[in-house]
Amino acid sequence: MTIVFEQVFTLFLFAAVGYTLSRCGVVSTAHSKILSSLLVYVFLPCNIFRTFAANCTVAYLGANYRTVLAAVGVLIVMAVVMEFVSRLFSREDYERKVYRYSLIIANYGYMGYALAESLLGSAGLMNVMMFAMPLSVYTYTVGFCSLTKRDFSLKKLLNPVMLAMVLGIAVGLIGVPVPSVIGGVMSKASGCMAPVSMLLAGITISEFRLRDLLREPRTYFLVAMRLLVIPLAFGGVLSLLGRREIVEAAVVLLAMPCGLNTIVFPKIVGEKCDIGAGLAFVSNIAACITIPLVFALFEIGG
């Protein structure tokens, strides 16, 4: 549990640094667009491609296809349940969409992958990314379209993250060796993902006054569901299947705090971002306690 806490707290400190630098005027919130672009177009795709290219073999898929099937099942259940739960949080349609998205999709892409690699190694990260595949499809189709008030479109799957995943799977299955120079570049780029993503979180949250983010009671109920109820419930059910790698992947993903898409996506259409900012702020602080607790209960990370 100590190791997990150290990893989580380290990431939190990067967010605190980003917040402090922004509030002190050292960096501008306008810089968040640069960091976001680097994450989406460079750091995260490099990490995804590197992991799939190194681990995705025919033998692996044959032994672990159940991970994706389990993820699909979890996503379907959450989509149905959270549709009703979100109605308990708000009567306003767009607010319900924000709450629903926050309950279904956590910050697995940046924080979850970083923790998985540091605690479970490359093989564990591969399992986590496999479990995340259906969630990624949801994020860039249903999630994006609902939060930006756009019609559903599969064209949103043509993005750097999904392309890196497909290309990495192809390279892994074919067995094409990645040149050492390219591999080195991708390894170093992947190492930037976690600190840059948390710096971005801190800078983005700094746009709002903390007292405004802390005064909404609904935030605490939703954060408790996001960080405790959801990972414990699904982790417990999946434990009945008796496959350790599926449980680890699910818990690592589902125990993460709320992400920044509920801030970034609403900005595209001029919607208020205070709900998403409040969820991100409170959940990232609470996660320093809840993630080590949940991981300890499922014996993840030692």
Side-chain angles (χ1 to χ4, degrees):
M1 184 171 180
T2 301
I3 297 176
V4 177
F5 175 78
E6 289 177 352
Q7 294 292 331
V8 174
F9 192 65
T10 298
L11 294 176
F12 172 77
L13 287 179
F14 275 109
V17 169
Y19 178 88
T20 302
L21 290 177
S22 180
R23 296 296 292 181
C24 292
V26 178
V27 298
S28 168
T29 53
H31 295 152
S32 62
K33 184 177 181 180
I34 299 175
L35 295 181
S36 179
S37 297
L38 287 172
L39 284 167
V40 172
Y41 290 98
V42 182
F43 301 147
L44 183 56
C46 281
N47 191 31
I48 290 175
F49 173 84
R50 181 175 66 101
T51 303
F52 275 97
N55 298 282
C56 188
T57 63
V58 174
Y60 175 86
L61 291 181
N64 294 277
Y65 69 92
R66 295 181 183 84
T67 300
V68 177
L69 295 180
V72 171
V74 169
L75 177 60
I76 291 174
V77 172
M78 283 203 297
V80 173
V81 173
M82 300 316 167
E83 173 64 30
F84 292 98
V85 172
S86 64
R87 296 176 182 274
L88 302 177
F89 284 91
S90 176
R91 295 182 179 180
E92 200 275 316
D93 181 63
Y94 191 81
E95 287 187 358
R96 288 204 302 267
K97 292 179 180 178
V98 173
Y99 287 130
R100 183 176 67 237
Y101 181 92
S102 298
L103 288 169
I104 296 174
I105 303 296
N107 188 8
Y108 65 85
Y110 301 138
M111 191 171 183
Y113 289 170
L115 282 177
E117 186 167 22
S118 62
L119 296 173
L120 304 175
S122 179
L125 175 60
M126 179 64 188
N127 292 333
V128 171
M129 287 187 173
M130 285 287 288
F131 196 94
M133 289 176 67
L135 300 177
S136 296
V137 173
Y138 178 92
T139 297
Y140 292 108
T141 53
V142 177
F144 178 85
C145 293
S146 64
L147 292 180
T148 57
K149 299 180 177 179
R150 297 180 180 179
D151 294 332
F152 176 82
S153 174
L154 290 176
K155 292 182 180 180
K156 292 303 174 185
L157 290 177
L158 296 177
N159 60 75
V161 173
M162 298 302 294
L163 292 176
M165 184 184 300
V166 172
L167 185 58
I169 291 174
V171 170
L173 291 177
I174 297 173
V176 178
V178 178
S180 58
V181 174
I182 301 299
V185 170
M186 291 194 169
S187 178
K188 292 184 183 298
S190 299
C192 296
M193 187 184 70
V196 171
S197 66
M198 298 312 292
L199 286 170
L200 174 63
I203 294 172
T204 303
I205 292 172
S206 72
E207 298 181 43
F208 306 89
R209 294 187 300 179
L210 294 185
R211 62 175 177 270
D212 292 335
L213 301 181
L214 295 172
R215 66 173 56 175
E216 176 54 68
R218 291 175 295 182
T219 297
Y220 300 96
F221 287 103
L222 191 139
V223 167
M225 291 190 62
R226 169 72 277 154
L227 296 178
L228 291 174
V229 176
I230 292 174
L232 292 176
F234 284 102
V237 171
L238 291 174
S239 295
L240 301 177
L241 299 177
R243 296 187 68 89
R244 176 67 181 173
E245 66 276 10
I246 294 179
V247 176
E248 283 186 342
V251 172
V252 168
L253 287 181
L254 299 177
M256 293 302 106
C258 301
L260 300 180
N261 283 343
T262 50
I263 303 175
V264 177
F265 289 169
K267 280 187 175 182
I268 296 176
V269 291
E271 280 286 348
K272 59 183 180 179
C273 309
D274 55 325
I275 295 176
L279 291 171
F281 177 68
V282 174
S283 64
N284 272 277
I285 293 178
C288 291
I289 299 174
T290 60
I291 291 178
L293 176 62
V294 172
F295 279 25
L297 291 174
F298 288 96
E299 299 180 344
I300 297 175

